[in-house]
Amino acid sequence: MEPYKVKVVERLPLLDRPGREAALERAGYNLFNLTSDEVTIDLLTDSGTSAMSDRQWGGLMVGDESYAGSRNFAHFERVVRDLTGFSHVIPAHQGRAAEHLLLSQLVHPGQIVPNNMHFDTTRAHVVHAGGRPMDLAIREAYDPTSLHPFKGNVDVARLETLLAAEGARRVPLVMVTITNNTGGGQPVSVANLREVAAVSHRHGVPVYLDMCRWAENAYFVREREAEFADRSIREIGRTVFDLVDGATMSAKKDGLVNIGGFVVTRDVELANRIKEQLILFEGFPTYGGLARRDLEAMAIGLEEATDLDYLRHRIGQVRYLASLLSAAGVPLVEPTGGHGVYLDAHRFLPHVPPEQFPGQSIVVELYREGGVRTVEIGEVFRGEKANDDPTAPELSLVRMAIPRRVYSSSHLAHVARTVIAVWNRRATVRGLLMLEAPERLRHFTARFGPAPPAEAVTAPVAKLATGRP
Ligand code: F0G
């Protein structure tokens, strides 16, 4: 059951089917163009969509809005130092601002930045600094059916080869994203982080974490790495942070706030350079582009996210949704990750070719069926860009991200009924044509229309139409 009770409620929009059809058409079949009043259950993202606790709302009321030296900054800095052990704590308004601050200092044109898998803003900031992002996740990360317990792990052998060939001059830092969002919210083991840190440090290269979902990652470590079975989330966190040189954080995830983030490092000289950038782009180092009350809410949220009862329920909710779908035979990325359930679009709609966007077609049907908003991470999201590793298969996923402390089990049961209803009529689901294809970030702005019916029914469709899985 939920380890919290409801104190404030927000009415859910409940459109009827003709209302949803009209909304889809107006939105050009791109759910980023819907208004929130048109969405019943919003699983677009788990970022900045958490419900704050009564303690966090109380924290807003003790905001000390001093420009310099706010007591809320002092509290925030104390909490982050205590959780992570890093001495230099630099606030920023969200994760990508933290990435900008760090990567614009460390990365120079022509350099390579390895990561298990870059999130898209991280990738964009590496490129913005003139660098080349390189994804080095283990091969299992690209197989939705592999049951590897730590599919977020870095392929250490390939990292070693890269570092041996290029050295610290060409590789300014190694990043590891915990959990690996782009690969399905999959965790990274402490054993893997130890190896990554050892190899990188041997070559004189610092390691930085993208620690957005670090508490969820620690939960998986506790569950799956015997050495940590009796350790607290905080202890596991410290073990992880002690291995590396710093991190960027979007507190919109495991900080349980609607806005906020930070950079942490042990390197005083780097911290000073970042603070200069901070003043230029974000604000004074004791507020970093946030209201001071936001720092207070973040300080409280960061600690709440380490509560084992909270995490057990959080990860449990994601698994609950996955279990309802698995029981009906719906193809998912397995094992389930930390912040959402990812559908495998190629197995869900095998009759829709990649150029007709199977993932986006599912996203549209889930909204049409039950007012559920999800997001495609596949052919639309990737655009023309191929994998960094040309030998890795292209994943086509639909992400159902679960906001923290927001939806109840019965909301998730509605989501499951919706997905299963679409699954049961999958043979009749048609693909989409991209009618407006902007060159950059087409994910957010492209417009689609239904693809015309196939001239002849292909063999897989005929088999699906019998209703057999
Ligand atoms: N790193 C990861 C792994 C993320 O998932 C995100 C955001 C960021 C960095 C950037 O943080 O949004 O605060 O600037 N992920 C959101 C998502 C947008 O929906 O997955 P931000």
Side-chain angles (χ1 to χ4, degrees):
M1 67 177 183
E2 286 79 7
Y4 44 80
K5 60 182 178 174
V6 175
K7 194 169 325 210
V8 176
V9 296
E10 177 184 332
R11 201 182 187 294
L12 283 182
L14 294 168
L15 273 70
D16 56 12
R17 190 177 274 257
R20 297 197 295 269
E21 298 278 2
L24 272 178
E25 220 163 291
R26 187 193 54 72
Y29 299 88
N30 185 338
L31 274 56
F32 281 100
N33 293 331
L34 294 178
T35 68
S36 59
D37 289 339
E38 293 167 330
V39 177
T40 302
I41 305 284
D42 204 347
L43 307 185
L44 187 67
T45 181
D46 64 319
S47 178
T49 51
S50 303
M52 292 210 296
S53 69
D54 49 358
R55 288 179 61 239
Q56 287 177 290
W57 282 103
L60 296 184
M61 289 305 294
V62 296
D64 157 23
E65 301 300 333
S66 305
Y67 189 97
S70 160
R71 71 179 76 95
N72 308 115
F73 174 75
H75 179 202
F76 161 74
E77 184 182 49
R78 199 165 62 243
V79 166
V80 176
R81 278 185 178 158
D82 187 44
L83 285 175
T84 65
F86 294 112
S87 38
H88 304 287
V89 180
I90 299 152
H93 78 272
Q94 63 181 81
R96 67 201 69 182
E99 290 164 358
H100 176 225
L101 290 167
L102 180 75
L103 296 170
S104 63
Q105 287 306 315
L106 289 184
V107 181
H108 299 292
Q111 291 185 318
I112 300 168
V113 180
N115 201 324
N116 44 354
M117 285 190 197
H118 287 82
F119 181 67
D120 53 352
T121 57
T122 326
R123 168 178 296 281
H125 276 294
V126 171
V127 172
H128 185 67
R132 202 177 108 213
M134 186 179 283
D135 289 350
L136 288 182
I138 56 170
R139 191 41 58 114
E140 287 85 343
Y142 295 94
D143 176 2
T145 62
S146 159
L147 293 177
H148 192 291
F150 290 104
K151 281 168 93 170
N153 281 357
V154 176
D155 187 330
V156 179
R158 286 167 68 214
L159 178 64
E160 172 96 74
T161 307
L162 174 75
L163 291 172
E166 305 287 352
R169 230 172 36 81
R170 289 260 294 157
V171 183
L173 78 163
V174 171
M175 290 197 77
V176 186
T177 306
I178 59 170
T179 56
N180 177 19
N181 183 8
T182 312
Q186 300 293 329
V188 178
S189 69
V190 173
N192 186 250
L193 284 169
R194 282 183 180 135
E195 288 187 63
V196 169
V199 169
S200 306
H201 290 156
R202 197 159 63 237
H203 286 89
V205 178
V207 181
Y208 279 75
L209 297 176
D210 176 338
M211 60 173 278
C212 297
R213 298 178 180 86
W214 75 273
E216 290 169 4
N217 198 77
Y219 184 85
F220 286 110
V221 166
R222 191 172 185 277
E223 193 178 67
R224 298 179 186 173
E225 266 183 300
E227 178 187 344
F228 297 99
D230 301 322
R231 305 279 285 278
S232 70
I233 297 300
R234 279 167 175 272
E235 286 169 323
I236 296 168
R238 275 307 284 269
T239 305
V240 166
F241 296 123
D242 284 350
L243 292 169
V244 300
D245 302 272
T248 56
M249 173 73 177
S250 167
K252 298 168 74 173
K253 286 82 168 169
D254 280 355
L256 294 170
V257 284
N258 305 118
I259 196 78
F262 55 81
V263 185
V264 280
T265 180
R266 292 183 217 291
D267 181 340
V268 60
E269 193 265 327
L270 175 64
N272 288 338
R273 282 193 283 138
I274 289 178
K275 281 182 198 168
E276 279 174 32
Q277 285 271 107
L278 183 77
I279 295 171
L280 194 58
F281 288 102
E282 295 274 304
F284 193 70
T286 60
Y287 73 87
L290 292 160
R292 273 56 74 193
R293 57 178 172 269
D294 292 331
L295 292 172
E296 187 64 29
M298 186 158 49
I300 298 167
L302 285 164
E303 296 207 288
E304 288 181 352
T306 65
D307 173 17
L308 203 51
D309 290 333
Y310 153 75
L311 280 170
R312 193 176 287 120
H313 173 259
R314 158 92 184 132
I315 308 282
Q317 261 203 330
V318 177
R319 286 186 184 151
Y320 168 67
L321 174 58
S323 71
L324 296 178
L325 298 179
S326 288
V330 178
L332 310 175
V333 174
E334 288 176 286
T336 321
H339 65 291
V341 176
Y342 290 59
L343 304 175
D344 182 354
H346 287 165
R347 279 189 294 149
F348 197 115
L349 294 182
H351 59 286
V352 175
E355 59 277 14
Q356 290 188 4
F357 310 106
Q360 187 66 19
S361 308
I362 297 169
V363 165
V364 164
E365 291 308 316
L366 296 181
Y367 177 74
R368 195 197 305 275
E369 183 69 35
V372 178
R373 177 156 69 172
T374 56
V375 68
E376 192 252 22
I377 302 188
E379 287 84 3
V380 183
F381 179 76
R382 264 196 307 273
E384 303 308 315
K385 186 192 80 63
N387 281 338
D388 295 331
D389 176 358
T391 61
E394 302 279 4
L395 291 174
S396 183
L397 308 176
V398 172
R399 185 181 76 170
M400 300 188 282
I402 314 290
R404 295 169 181 79
R405 304 193 294 209
V406 170
Y407 292 118
S408 69
S409 303
S410 59
H411 290 129
L412 296 183
H414 168 80
V415 173
R417 280 194 299 274
T418 300
V419 178
I420 292 166
V422 173
W423 171 246
N424 288 338
R425 62 174 172 78
R426 63 194 177 279
T428 63
V429 173
R430 293 192 349 226
L432 295 166
L433 300 179
M434 196 179 278
L435 303 179
E436 282 177 35
E439 221 165 274
R440 284 158 61 116
L441 297 175
R442 65 182 195 170
H443 195 221
F444 297 113
T445 48
R447 294 180 74 84
F448 301 87
E455 305 241 306
V457 176
T458 57
V461 177
K463 219 191 290 163
L464 288 171
T466 64
R468 271 185 276 112

